Amino acid sequence: MPSRWRRLGTCFTLPHLLDDIMDGGVPDLDPAQATNAAVALVFLAQMSLTTLRQSRVPSERIVDLIAIFNRATLWMSAGQASDLAWGDRATLDDYWRIVAAKSGAFFALACRAGAMLGTQPEVEIAHYDRFGHHLGVLLQVADDLRAVWRPRGRGDLSTLGRTLPVVYARAVAPAEIRSQLQALTKRALDDAAALAELQTLLRDPAIDCERSQGVVHYVTVQAGIHHQQAREALLATARRDGAHDELLRRLDRVLPALALD
C-alpha cells in the first residue's frame, strides 16, 4: 500500500484516539502524550489529503474531500462536547443525537471519502454515506452492550451512565428503579458486586412496565433497524463485486457481537 494511503488512514485513527483520551481509555500513554499524538495526527491527516494529487485525483475532488473532513470533524467535536457535558437530565433523544454526531458521522465520512475516490455519481456516494452512518450507529450500540456486560477496564466502567442500556432503562423505568440505576452505575466503577447487580437489573424484562419490553429487547430492535438500513443502502449501490460482498459480510458480523451469552 502506498505510504500516502497509509497516512490517509490516520484521518480515521484520530477521532478514536481523542475519544479514548476523554474517556480515560489510553492505558499505554499518559494524557499529555496521547493529546500530543492526536494533535500531530490532525496535521498529518491534512497533509495526507493534499498528497492525493500524486494519484492523479482531480484538484476539485481533493478540495471537496478536505471540506467534508473538516465539516465532519466539527460535527464530531460538537457531539463529543455534548457527550462530555452529559448529566443526569440527559435523555434518550440526547443519546441518539450524540451517537449520530460521533459514530454515525465518523463512519459516514470514511465511506463517503472512499466512494468519492472510486466513483462519480453523487447518488452512489450518498448510498455509501448512508451505509457508513448506520454502520457507525450499529457499532456504537454493540460497543455499549459490551461496555455493560464485558467491560474492558475503567474506561468502559466510567462511562456506563452514557451507554444505551442504562440510558434507555432510565428513560422508561419507574422512579425508584431510576434511583437504583444511578447508584449502581456510580458504584460499578470500583465495586464488582454493584456491576453484577446492575447487569441483572438491566436484564429484567419488567423494567419497562408500560411497554412490557426489557432493555435487551429494545437495544436489539434498534440494532436490527440500523443493520437493515445499512444493508439497504449498500444494496442500492450499482457496484457488485468482491469488495461489495465483503462490506456486507462485515456488516452482518456486527449483529452476532450483540449476543450477551
Side-chain angles (χ1 to χ4, degrees):
M1 179 185 294
S3 60
R4 58 180 171 274
W5 295 108
R6 288 197 296 269
R7 292 198 301 272
L8 186 57
T10 65
C11 302
F12 303 107
T13 304
L14 172 62
H16 281 305
L17 177 57
L18 289 173
D19 190 57
D20 285 345
I21 293 170
M22 294 172 187
D23 291 340
V26 191
D28 296 331
L29 294 174
D30 67 35
Q33 290 176 315
T35 302
N36 184 64
V39 171
L41 286 172
V42 171
F43 292 100
L44 182 57
Q46 293 290 333
M47 289 174 59
S48 298
L49 288 171
T50 64
T51 65
L52 290 174
R53 63 170 60 95
Q54 298 173 22
S55 298
R56 298 183 180 179
V57 176
S59 298
E60 297 81 1
R61 184 62 88 182
I62 295 174
V63 171
D64 289 342
L65 282 166
I66 292 173
I68 68 165
F69 268 86
N70 289 336
R71 283 198 300 270
T73 300
L74 288 172
W75 185 242
M76 288 184 283
S77 296
Q80 184 68 65
S82 296
D83 196 13
L84 291 171
W86 187 275
D88 293 339
R89 294 185 179 181
T91 67
L92 186 59
D93 286 341
D94 291 330
Y95 171 88
W96 288 118
R97 177 175 54 80
I98 291 170
V99 169
K102 291 178 60 181
S103 297
F106 173 61
F107 282 89
L109 168 63
C111 293
R112 171 172 279 272
M116 288 173 66
L117 292 173
T119 188
Q120 293 296 324
E122 175 58 32
V123 64
E124 281 288 287
I125 295 171
H127 288 319
Y128 285 104
D129 184 299
R130 190 160 64 93
F131 165 75
H133 169 81
H134 291 294
L135 173 62
V137 174
L138 175 60
L139 285 167
Q140 183 60 59
V141 172
D143 194 53
D144 281 1
L145 275 178
R146 179 199 49 73
V148 174
W149 276 280
R150 298 191 185 94
R152 292 175 295 186
R154 293 183 67 84
D156 283 343
L157 294 174
S158 65
T159 58
L160 285 178
R162 308 201 299 267
T163 59
L164 182 56
V166 175
V167 173
Y168 174 74
R170 286 178 52 194
V172 300
E176 62 273 14
I177 295 183
R178 289 200 301 271
S179 298
Q180 186 179 2
L181 282 167
Q182 186 173 3
L184 289 172
T185 300
K186 291 179 178 179
R187 287 169 45 206
L189 181 61
D190 298 300
D191 186 345
L195 176 61
E197 188 177 347
L198 175 64
Q199 293 167 343
T200 299
L201 181 60
L202 292 173
R203 285 179 181 270
D204 186 348
I207 200 168
D208 183 355
C209 300
E210 183 177 339
R211 299 175 183 81
S212 298
Q213 67 179 27
V215 170
V216 176
H217 174 79
Y218 172 82
V219 174
T220 303
V221 168
Q222 294 301 314
I225 290 171
H226 286 283
H227 174 272
Q228 183 61 28
Q229 290 178 331
R231 187 176 181 84
E232 288 175 357
L234 196 56
L235 292 175
T237 64
R239 185 162 184 162
R240 295 291 187 276
D241 57 15
H244 179 272
D245 294 340
E246 180 60 24
L247 284 176
L248 285 173
R249 284 192 292 270
R250 288 178 179 272
L251 172 65
D252 290 341
R253 289 193 198 114
V254 180
L255 281 178
L258 295 174
L260 302 181
D261 297 316

